Amino acid sequence: MESCESVLAELSAEIVVQDQDIIQSYTTDFRNKYHGASPALLRPRSTAEVARIVELCGNHNIGIVPVGGNTSYCGGATPSPQGNQLLVSLQRMNSIREVDANDLSMTVDAGCLLSDIQEAAEAEKLFFPLSLGSQKSCQIGGNVSTNAGGVSAVRYGITRDLVLGLEAVLPNGQILNNLAPLRKDNRGYALHHLLIGAEGTLGIVTAASLRLHRAPTSQVTAFLAVRETSDLMPLLAMAQGATGEAVTSFEYISHASLQMLLNKSPGLRHPTEEQSKHYVLIEAATSSTVHSLDPAIEAFLEAGMEQGMILDGTIAASEKQRMDLWNLREHIPEGEVLNGGSIKHDVSVRVSQVAQFIELGSALVAQYGQGARLSIYGHVGDGNIHFNVLAPEGAETNAFFEMLEAEVSPRLYDLIAKMDGSFSAEYGLGQDKLMLNEIYGDPVKANLMATLKAATDPKNIMNPGKVVAPRQHQTQEVRICA
Ligand SMILES: Cc1cc2nc3c(=O)[nH]c(=O)nc-3n(C[C@H](O)[C@H](O)[C@H](O)COP(=O)(O)OP(=O)(O)OC[C@H]3O[C@@H](n4cnc5c(N)ncnc54)[C@H](O)[C@@H]3O)c2cc1C
């Protein structure tokens, strides 16, 4: 704490917040799972001020926790409980530096809200496709640092695919300027890609140049009742074929997830007349001024129904109806909260194995879950499944969750490992998944990550205790479950 004071004493009072009422909202994570402490929140106004903070923290060996919108699902932005780390928020660095319609690029400060970036692109009749349920509170610096995925990755890719360059303050206080929005640049290592997904452990991202797309001229959104999970990927392939790869979202929602939400939300209504165990929210968009999507979607729906894969469907006839359909999808996590919360598994497998994972995973929960309820949904067009497990109605959740974490989660993660999938599809490691990485991660990769971390941040001041486990300096034998 004394050393924190030494850093604070050398900083302009205008960027230091020590009011614990304000700091408190940053010391607990979004899921209320991690609780930390910090003597101060630093709010720099420029890259030079960020560099000064990092330099001072390096001099005094003080840990820094960069915080964006604090929507991380894995405790990535929560400081340690010891109260010996400083929080750094870029909320005052929130300018759109440039929108270039000719380059189809945009350069922004890292503290910009994702929704502000989307709107700034729209104002120029352009489109920034990254889209998450948290977009009104998360910052682009956080999106870059978590390599966020979201609902449009099936067409536009994840954050990594949308970043052309970065500016960042490295752990030694130097500023890496790699902001030029070049489409091709093979001058050695693409260092900005190291910072993407590093969760603040290799530096503080201060600005990003982003890849824009032309704004859609038309889009079609439909909510489909689907026969089986094994129909999901054939349907995606059919839709891609019919529309010429114009599918932008392909979101799976199980009947159980939808029903949990609807039962507790009287204002929402079921979107299809016929019910099924499985639903898909599909959206396609084109920026063509010549081609219409309507005949393509009609052909796709007709073929899907003829083959018995689509049982029923609703096509949004207005922007309001489109928003209503998306509203259902976005509120699915809330449905879980209203039903006592869940143990979340944010996993991915290759897209061709989504149905197999859902089937095998559900069988494991049926066998070992002691009556647990399942809520399965996700970005299945990218092979990303949110496979969440809830306590039975009326059960004492804390004890039940402990049982699930002991008996069910390891079996699900074993299954994912066997299928060569990922135990963290889009939320990262933070502090929540360090142990999983010990068990299921590749030790060679873990060692290389630890080597990179030690080389770039030898004093371990950047977000200590996240992503790279403290012990990861030696190759260790890890358990791969049978
Ligand atoms: C309702 C809801 C829906 C969500 N949906 C999705 C989804 O569909 N897909 C998805 O991928 N995620 C999703 N998330 C998770 C979360 O929103 C994303 O991970 C998001 O990118 C985090 O951004 P943030 O600004 O809130 O970052 P924070 O939570 O503040 O920080 C996340 C990590 O990035 C680091 N960091 C933050 N800013 C910087 C910076 N400028 N420089 C360096 N490091 C930094 C932090 O230290 C931390 O490790 C969702 C979360 C919620 C609450």
Side-chain angles (χ1 to χ4, degrees):
M1 191 72 86
E2 222 174 72
S3 303
C4 277
E5 293 304 331
S6 326
V7 171
L8 300 180
E10 291 187 57
L11 288 170
S12 152
E14 283 172 43
I15 64 171
V16 178
V17 176
Q18 290 187 285
D19 179 345
Q20 283 297 328
D21 287 344
I22 297 174
I23 294 170
Q24 247 174 28
S25 59
Y26 295 92
T27 51
T28 297
D29 73 313
F30 186 86
R31 289 164 64 193
N32 201 18
K33 186 169 174 184
Y34 294 98
H35 304 277
S38 176
L41 169 74
L42 309 180
R43 299 190 307 152
R45 294 157 297 189
S46 66
T47 302
E49 284 186 351
V50 176
R52 177 74 181 136
I53 290 169
V54 174
E55 188 192 1
L56 285 174
C57 287
N59 292 346
H60 293 280
N61 286 313
I62 293 299
I64 298 169
V65 181
V67 59
N70 197 21
T71 64
S72 163
Y73 270 146
C74 54
T78 311
S80 77
Q82 284 76 35
N84 56 1
Q85 298 171 346
L86 293 172
L87 290 157
V88 176
S89 163
L90 302 198
Q91 60 191 234
R92 292 158 96 185
M93 291 172 61
N94 60 359
S95 301
I96 306 285
R97 295 191 189 178
E98 182 188 36
V99 182
D100 191 324
N102 294 321
D103 274 339
L104 284 177
S105 71
M106 183 176 193
T107 305
V108 299
D109 281 351
C112 286
L113 292 181
L114 175 55
S115 56
D116 287 347
I117 291 173
Q118 294 164 340
E119 282 169 23
E122 258 174 58
E124 300 294 325
K125 299 199 169 16
L126 297 169
F127 181 53
F128 183 60
L130 185 65
S131 174
L132 320 179
S134 54
Q135 61 201 24
K136 289 197 173 137
S137 32
C138 61
Q139 298 175 1
I140 193 69
N143 303 143
V144 167
S145 302
T146 55
N147 189 21
V151 297
S152 323
V154 68
R155 162 74 177 82
Y156 299 103
I158 53 179
T159 301
R160 187 180 298 288
D161 303 303
L162 298 168
V163 172
L164 296 169
L166 289 181
E167 176 192 87
V169 174
L170 302 176
N172 62 5
Q174 287 183 341
I175 298 169
L176 176 75
N177 188 334
N178 193 190
L179 260 187
L182 302 177
R183 307 283 161 152
K184 285 188 167 183
D185 177 16
N186 278 347
R187 292 172 290 178
Y189 303 152
L191 292 178
H192 61 290
H193 277 285
L194 263 186
L195 287 146
I196 300 173
E199 299 181 55
T201 58
L202 297 179
I204 301 183
V205 176
T206 49
S209 57
L210 305 171
R211 182 193 294 270
L212 298 181
H213 290 260
R214 292 175 211 291
T217 48
S218 70
Q219 60 191 1
V220 181
T221 309
F223 201 98
L224 308 176
V226 174
R227 181 178 56 187
E228 295 290 349
T229 51
S230 56
D231 295 325
L232 292 171
M233 289 312 131
L235 279 173
L236 175 58
M238 275 168 59
Q240 295 285 35
T243 61
E245 312 246 342
V247 176
T248 50
S249 299
F250 194 78
E251 297 286 306
Y252 171 74
I253 303 170
S254 63
H255 174 73
S257 300
L258 184 61
Q259 214 48 55
M260 266 179 212
L261 174 65
L262 295 178
N263 287 347
K264 300 274 180 187
S265 318
L268 300 176
R269 63 179 194 86
H270 200 291
T272 58
E273 274 177 25
E274 197 165 324
Q275 302 210 357
S276 170
K277 281 191 185 159
H278 312 287
Y279 298 94
V280 161
L281 177 58
I282 182 171
E283 188 159 275
T286 178
S287 54
S288 170
T289 49
V290 179
H291 295 124
S292 162
L293 277 177
D294 293 339
I297 289 292
E298 271 168 35
F300 156 68
L301 292 176
E302 216 174 281
M305 284 187 157
E306 245 172 50
Q307 293 176 38
M309 294 195 272
I310 298 174
L311 306 177
D312 194 6
T314 296
I315 300 182
S318 63
E319 182 58 17
K320 155 99 177 51
Q321 283 182 9
R322 173 177 175 259
M323 292 319 294
D324 286 348
L325 295 180
W326 272 110
N327 200 26
L328 284 176
R329 164 63 185 87
E330 299 298 357
H331 280 83
I332 294 294
E334 193 182 306
E336 291 177 8
V337 174
L338 294 172
N339 281 272
S342 63
I343 299 292
K344 294 185 190 300
H345 306 92
D346 163 42
V347 298
S348 66
V349 290
R350 57 191 75 185
V351 285
S352 58
Q353 294 186 339
V354 164
Q356 192 189 354
F357 172 75
I358 292 176
E359 187 190 331
L360 295 174
S362 303
L364 286 175
V365 174
Q367 190 174 354
Y368 299 101
Q370 300 180 21
R373 292 177 288 169
L374 264 175
S375 170
I376 312 172
Y377 63 97
H379 321 298
V380 294
D382 318 313
N384 182 180
I385 307 138
H386 297 312
F387 196 89
N388 299 341
V389 192
L390 289 85
E393 260 177 277
E396 202 280 296
T397 44
N398 285 347
F400 200 86
F401 285 170
E402 268 178 39
M403 182 284 293
L404 287 176
E405 285 183 321
E407 298 298 327
V408 175
S409 298
R411 289 184 161 90
L412 290 171
Y413 288 128
D414 284 355
L415 173 62
I416 281 291
K418 262 195 227 156
M419 294 177 75
D420 210 10
S422 169
F423 61 82
S424 179
E426 60 176 5
Y427 297 152
L429 297 179
Q431 51 186 307
D432 197 46
K433 294 190 179 147
L434 289 180
M435 186 50 78
L436 281 179
N437 204 33
E438 293 270 309
I439 299 169
Y440 297 104
D442 173 3
V444 175
K445 181 180 174 192
N447 275 332
L448 186 52
M449 279 170 56
T451 305
L452 283 167
K453 170 76 174 161
T456 51
D457 183 14
K459 294 181 173 175
N460 194 23
I461 58 164
M462 290 305 314
N463 214 0
K466 318 285 168 46
V467 182
V468 178
R471 67 99 208 153
Q472 283 176 351
H473 298 289
Q474 303 284 325
T475 305
Q476 285 194 4
E477 232 175 77
V478 293
R479 178 174 76 99
I480 299 289
C481 295

